[in-house]
Amino acid sequence: MCGICGCGQPEQNHAQHSHHGHEHHHHDEHETERLVRVEQDLLSKNNRYAEQNRAYFQRHGIFVLNLVSSPGAGKTTLLVETIKALKNDYRIAVIEGDQQTEHDADRIRASGVPALQINTGRACHLDAHGIGHAVKALNVEDNSLLAIENVGNLVCPSSFDLGEAHKVVVLSVTEGDDKPLKYPDMFHAADLMLLNKIDLLPYVDFDVERCLAYAKQVNPDIQVMPLSATRGENFAVWIDWLKHNLSVKDAA
Amino acid sequence: MHEISLLEEMREILQQQARRQHFSRVRQVTLDIGKLSCVEPEALRFAFDVVMKDTLAEDAVLVISVSEGIGVCQNCNKRMSLESLHEPCRHCAHPFVNVIEGADMKIKDLLVV
């Protein structure tokens, strides 16, 4: 039974469930219409679950990142390399979001840490409710790093808070340098941008300075790290950032 | 299409409201969408009939009112209307403007029987 929302579903497979039963009502022509006030936000339920997740993560010392990007920016490779660099010193768990397949979770498990795949089906993003259940199902240990790899999509995941400490947007140099302007909501919502695949810069038409200026334009606060997950250039900057955050969390 | 998720959320809210406020059918839903929210009114309209099929809101009319985005500059404290989430202050050009209205999407009221 779901201990989070009382929805009566078992923990396993729960991340994909949907609550909606059909209610059939028969229309009576003689009833009079009336206006009822509702004033309820459509994201309020997700936000409540996100706050619940955040409180849980804080109590258990779990440092949570929500990784977002378009498909193919290199999130999974980045995670695999991150796990290699940190797994001897830190506990790590991963939640993978994709519309279909277990491929990414399989890749993460092969790197030696627990991973749970959420298949979102037709949905284009992860939501806070599904994350709450995934954390229970994965049995994420106290004082660990939890990386959530969101569905590859630069639009929808920006609206759904999962309870993470940081939203990290991954942009690769094989995409356009104007992505921050084209998808401003995501770059506005993120607090860290990893500019990935910089080893390919000599072969592509990508202006790093222009890209960074665009990112700062939509989010003056955004922190940027250019790196290459496959070749290792500047990768230590990212690893140091993670270590710093994990140690700050422990001290708190 | 996160619009579908939002409409599924709407369907749940309607079902809760039907129990709480004692009605059996929804004839009209008035939705207030902030100009700065990440939702496309046309996409919502498109998916509304599909998501509400076979529910208490089947055949209901969806009315969307778009509300203005409003921000307050972190530097000069002036209020201003905003067209997008990432505009600098139009008075002092400071890059940080706090959004205070227009980022939400709310069900305002329902016409029910």
Side-chain angles (χ1 to χ4, degrees):
Chain A
M1 148 98 197
C2 165
I4 296 173
C5 56
C7 58
Q9 298 274 330
E11 292 295 347
Q12 301 296 334
N13 309 325
H14 190 99
Q16 301 165 36
H17 86 164
S18 129
H19 285 295
H20 323 296
H22 293 281
E23 291 183 14
H24 292 276
H25 294 271
H26 297 285
H27 177 45
D28 179 352
E29 290 296 338
H30 303 293
E31 281 177 300
T32 47
E33 286 184 347
R34 65 191 161 101
L35 192 72
V36 299
R37 297 204 73 74
V38 179
E39 298 288 345
Q40 223 171 314
D41 197 285
L42 289 181
L43 281 173
S44 58
K45 191 176 80 177
N46 185 72
N47 292 339
R48 275 201 305 280
Y49 281 117
E51 284 316 313
Q52 215 170 301
N53 291 350
R54 193 164 278 122
Y56 179 89
F57 296 145
Q58 249 154 26
R59 273 200 310 280
H60 293 268
I62 301 170
F63 180 64
V64 184
L65 299 178
N66 178 4
L67 277 97
V68 292
S69 79
S70 41
K75 294 191 297 303
T76 313
T77 302
L78 180 100
L79 274 178
V80 168
E81 295 305 318
T82 304
I83 290 163
K84 279 188 200 162
L86 294 177
K87 74 172 175 186
N88 290 334
D89 301 313
Y90 299 91
R91 281 179 276 227
I92 306 172
V94 176
I95 295 171
E96 284 288 338
D98 278 304
Q99 287 197 314
Q100 298 294 340
T101 82
E102 284 268 329
H103 292 177
D104 283 357
D106 288 343
R107 279 177 69 189
I108 299 295
R109 284 185 208 113
S111 70
V113 304
L116 184 120
Q117 182 81 47
I118 298 178
N119 283 141
T120 57
R122 65 184 170 168
C124 45
H125 59 272
L126 294 171
D127 64 43
H129 179 226
I131 291 301
H133 285 290
V135 167
K136 289 271 151 91
L138 245 185
N139 238 329
V140 177
E141 289 182 275
D142 288 5
N143 302 311
S144 56
L145 164 66
L146 172 65
I148 302 170
E149 184 180 336
N150 218 313
V151 180
N153 177 342
L154 272 180
V155 184
C156 308
S158 71
S159 301
F160 293 82
D161 183 9
L162 304 179
E164 70 272 6
H166 297 279
K167 201 172 261 125
V168 180
V169 61
V170 183
L171 178 65
S172 66
V173 303
T174 52
E175 306 170 59
D177 50 26
D178 56 354
K179 277 272 163 81
L181 287 190
K182 285 181 169 170
Y183 300 93
D185 291 340
M186 187 61 90
F187 290 84
H188 187 80
D191 35 25
L192 174 61
M193 166 174 149
L194 302 180
L195 184 61
N196 194 19
K197 308 189 190 179
I198 56 166
D199 53 303
L200 298 178
L201 278 172
Y203 313 104
V204 294
D205 187 17
F206 186 99
D207 186 330
V208 174
E209 288 311 311
R210 187 161 54 201
C211 178
L212 302 194
Y214 287 153
K216 295 272 179 194
Q217 187 182 327
V218 299
N219 182 358
D221 267 343
I222 200 163
Q223 202 185 335
V224 181
M225 292 176 198
L227 52 82
S228 165
T230 51
R231 297 287 176 266
E233 279 171 272
N234 285 347
F235 203 67
V237 178
W238 157 243
I239 296 300
D240 287 346
W241 183 86
L242 284 169
K243 284 182 178 169
H244 172 74
N245 277 280
L246 286 159
S247 66
V248 167
K249 169 190 73 61
D250 285 345
Chain B
M1 275 299 274
H2 61 300
E3 280 79 7
I4 287 189
S5 309
L6 295 172
L7 286 165
E8 287 173 344
E9 180 57 29
M10 179 198 285
R11 185 172 61 190
E12 250 181 74
I13 292 173
L14 297 186
Q15 285 163 352
Q16 281 164 12
Q17 290 288 331
R19 287 191 289 273
R20 204 174 296 159
Q21 304 210 49
H22 312 290
F23 56 83
S24 58
R25 274 200 89 75
V26 178
R27 294 274 176 79
Q28 181 181 298
V29 179
T30 306
L31 202 58
D32 190 3
I33 306 249
K35 204 178 242 176
L36 309 178
S37 70
C38 313
V39 67
E40 197 44 62
E42 277 320 304
L44 273 181
R45 275 185 211 289
F46 180 78
F48 181 78
D49 293 345
V50 178
V51 177
M52 297 305 159
K53 195 168 158 30
D54 293 330
T55 73
L56 75 171
E58 180 159 28
D59 300 326
V61 176
L62 178 65
V63 178
I64 296 179
S65 69
V66 177
S67 60
E68 214 191 346
I70 296 178
V72 170
C73 175
Q74 282 188 15
N75 180 47
C76 71
N77 260 330
K78 284 198 177 123
R79 239 176 115 91
M80 71 204 82
S81 65
L82 295 174
E83 288 302 312
S84 69
L85 273 176
H86 50 89
E87 281 174 13
C89 175
R90 90 168 53 132
H91 305 287
C92 71
H94 189 73
F96 298 95
V97 176
N98 293 332
V99 172
I100 56 165
E101 271 172 51
D104 49 2
M105 35 196 141
K106 243 190 316 195
I107 304 178
K108 236 158 99 180
D109 51 48
L110 310 170
L111 206 52
V112 301
V113 291

